Amino acid sequence: MTVNRGMLCRVFIAVAVAVLSAACSQLKQTKPLLPVSDYERMIVGRFDADYVGTDNCVAKCHAHDKITDDFRHSVHGEQIKPGTGLPLVNCESCHGPGSLAIMDLPEDPELNDARKTKCDSKTFLNILNLPAQAQSLICLKCHSAASIPTLAHWNASAHALSDVSCLDCHKLHQGPQQKVKHEEMAELCYGCHPQVRIENNLYSHHPLVEKKMACADCHDVHGSTQESLLKGDTPKETCTKCHMEKQGPFVFEHGDVTENCNNCHSPHGSTNNQLLNTTMPFLCLQCHAGHMAGTTGTKQLFSNRCTDCHSQIHGSDIPSTGVTGLGTMRQ
């Protein structure tokens, strides 16, 4: 039987295209960004509903008792007390006016079956089905004026532009804790940044796996003027918050590392010691001509590390001796 290779090739291509199309259809669809005023209209709530206060809501509907208790023990719940001097926050601050939700429930709480009768949640804002930008705007109503300054950068941040909302990271109704724990932050971030998980598990890495660091130690997740949402005005300023001995200023500076440590280091992980992008001496040879070794001066030095002689590669106040080079020479 003769096999028509051309036909088999066309069938294979057709199957591959079908599989690829099915896979792509599962990816996140790109949506155009709307004017802020359009998102504001989405979170106004029902015009025919009135604000009744949290106490009136929970007195008639006990199905949310656990959520109410968690809320009262959270940082948001503490702001209900006028004595704090903070903006008042209650259930209707996020869910919209609640009069229609409890309209059909008995006035007498004793007549209300505490565990079976629920309020009409359909009259609230459909928060989970709002666009990410509208979800975040609910939070920004309060937090843009009474929270961390970097939220001023949120709308133009990489997270906001990638359809990430506050609710993707802050699980408000899963206990009184309103933000992810420090030791659990890396696992949360890995959900969207799987390549960072891989890098963090390489031989040389920052201690995120050991839970001694968190992503927010280097990145401002709410927004930044720097690339990759880094904290600090430059990458070096971010790194030297912990590596202060590398900060300087030095009399003899390594010009290439004055502003950007990433020129030599892979911050999330590397197969080389000290998070180096490439092993030495080949990392240094990308910028510097190699020395000649041996008494005849004819053998290139590839078997040693540059730091065997140049120990202060980040900068030094002492000139090298014997040869021209950066940092203190080992004697």
Side-chain angles (χ1 to χ4, degrees):
M1 180 179 177
T2 304
V3 178
N4 189 326
R5 293 185 178 180
M7 179 64 71
L8 287 177
C9 184
R10 287 193 290 272
V11 170
F12 176 79
I13 293 174
V15 171
V17 169
V19 172
L20 184 60
S21 299
C24 290
S25 66
Q26 302 300 317
L27 297 177
K28 201 170 189 177
Q29 299 297 317
T30 300
K31 299 178 182 177
L33 291 176
L34 303 176
V36 174
S37 57
D38 289 359
Y39 296 123
E40 289 176 336
R41 281 191 282 270
M42 296 179 189
I43 63 174
V44 170
R46 294 275 294 263
F47 289 117
D48 54 343
D50 295 317
Y51 290 95
V52 294
T54 294
D55 290 340
N56 288 325
C57 284
V58 298
K60 286 192 171 186
C61 176
H62 295 284
H64 299 126
D65 280 351
K66 176 64 169 62
I67 291 176
T68 303
D69 184 64
D70 288 340
F71 178 81
R72 284 175 174 163
H73 288 86
S74 71
V75 65
H76 283 141
E78 286 295 320
Q79 297 185 53
I80 290 180
K81 302 173 183 177
T84 62
L86 297 169
L88 302 186
V89 180
N90 61 19
C91 301
E92 293 173 306
S93 300
C94 301
H95 294 283
S99 62
L100 296 178
I102 62 173
M103 182 173 59
D104 295 330
L105 297 180
E107 290 292 335
D108 187 352
E110 294 182 359
L111 299 178
N112 181 22
D113 185 347
R115 296 301 171 190
K116 295 182 180 179
T117 305
K118 295 183 179 181
C119 57
D120 184 7
S121 58
K122 294 180 181 179
T123 62
F124 291 126
L125 289 175
N126 191 7
I127 295 177
L128 296 181
N129 289 321
L130 288 174
Q133 291 78 11
Q135 291 178 348
S136 296
L137 196 58
I138 292 175
C139 303
L140 290 171
K141 287 190 300 181
C142 297
H143 285 279
S144 60
S147 192
I148 55 179
T150 53
L151 277 171
H153 302 304
W154 170 258
N155 288 327
S157 71
H159 282 150
L161 296 177
S162 300
D163 286 343
V164 176
S165 80
C166 306
L167 303 184
D168 290 322
C169 301
H170 299 276
K171 309 301 182 183
L172 300 186
H173 289 325
Q174 296 183 12
Q177 183 72 19
Q178 302 288 276
K179 59 183 180 180
V180 65
K181 295 180 180 178
H182 189 272
E183 60 271 17
E184 297 174 355
M185 186 177 297
E187 198 62 35
L188 173 67
C189 298
Y190 290 155
C192 294
H193 302 281
Q195 78 283 358
V196 178
R197 180 198 292 271
I198 296 171
E199 292 170 356
N200 284 163
N201 282 282
L202 294 177
Y203 165 72
S204 179
H205 59 266
H206 277 114
L208 274 81
V209 177
E210 294 78 10
K211 303 188 184 302
K212 295 180 180 180
M213 280 185 66
C215 304
D217 291 334
C218 300
H219 302 277
D220 198 322
V221 296
H222 295 108
S224 169
T225 58
Q226 302 305 313
E227 186 179 358
S228 303
L229 298 177
L230 284 178
K231 293 181 175 180
D233 293 332
T234 65
K236 182 179 180 180
E237 184 176 317
T238 302
C239 298
T240 52
K241 287 191 305 177
C242 295
H243 303 281
M244 291 178 285
E245 75 282 4
K246 309 295 193 300
Q247 184 173 6
F250 301 107
V251 175
F252 299 94
E253 290 188 326
H254 198 160
D256 200 39
V257 301
T258 302
E259 298 297 338
N260 196 344
C261 305
N262 294 344
N263 291 336
C264 297
H265 300 279
S266 299
H268 292 123
S270 172
T271 55
N272 306 305
N273 289 331
Q274 285 82 44
L275 297 170
L276 291 179
N277 294 330
T278 309
T279 57
M280 285 194 288
F282 303 106
L283 176 68
C284 302
L285 291 174
Q286 294 178 41
C287 298
H288 302 280
H291 294 307
M292 304 303 287
T295 56
T296 61
T298 59
K299 183 180 179 182
Q300 284 251 292
L301 181 63
F302 289 125
S303 59
N304 290 52
R305 298 170 300 178
C306 300
T307 50
D308 290 343
C309 297
H310 302 276
S311 60
Q312 303 298 316
I313 56 174
H314 294 96
S316 172
D317 295 329
I318 305 173
S320 60
T321 59
V323 297
T324 301
L326 179 72
T328 302
M329 292 288 294
R330 297 185 188 275
Q331 301 299 321

